[in-house]
Amino acid sequence: MQVAILMTHVAIAIALVVLILLQQGKGAEAGAAFGGGASQTVFGSQGSGSFLAKFTGLLAAAFFATSLTLAWFASQAGEAPEAGIPDAELIEQQNAVPTLDDGGRDVDNTAPALEESGD
């Protein structure tokens, strides 16, 4: 469930970026050179401005809802660990296991010193 909401969240985010980049700013007549003027006939006499603005608002509301849902899932996951965090008893058992450094205390592990030449 959480993965499906996350994938929807990412798709909405990409769609929001595309929609925001498609919209013309106020006083932007350069957009007509890239097809902005021709798209007004597709969306009616008012142009694509109101349609894109309404659709952007709808996607922003959906993005907000998926953000809150993912935050709720994250808060629920923090309360009860399902897997990955061992119990304290298991950690104590692992600390009691001897390591390689514990057995060889009488072995000299120091590196030999380089002799200095008196040139």
Side-chain angles (χ1 to χ4, degrees):
M1 179 73 177
Q2 185 177 358
V3 175
I5 294 174
L6 181 63
M7 298 306 286
T8 305
H9 186 73
V10 170
I12 291 172
I14 292 170
L16 268 173
V17 169
V18 169
L19 275 177
I20 290 171
L21 289 176
L22 280 176
Q23 293 180 24
Q24 294 180 3
K26 293 184 178 181
E29 279 121 32
F34 298 108
S39 67
Q40 291 178 356
T41 59
V42 175
F43 294 108
S45 62
Q46 291 182 341
S48 63
S50 64
F51 171 75
L52 291 178
K54 288 179 183 177
F55 196 58
T56 303
L58 179 71
L59 283 180
F63 185 82
F64 184 72
T66 56
S67 296
L68 287 177
T69 306
L70 288 172
W72 183 77
F73 277 131
S75 69
Q76 295 299 316
E79 291 177 2
E82 296 174 7
I85 301 175
D87 294 329
E89 297 173 2
L90 182 61
I91 294 173
E92 292 297 324
Q93 289 175 356
Q94 289 177 350
N95 289 340
V97 174
T99 62
L100 294 175
D101 294 334
D102 292 342
R105 294 283 183 204
D106 57 347
V107 179
D108 184 22
N109 289 337
T110 59
L114 298 175
E115 296 180 11
E116 293 186 27
S117 61
D119 290 326

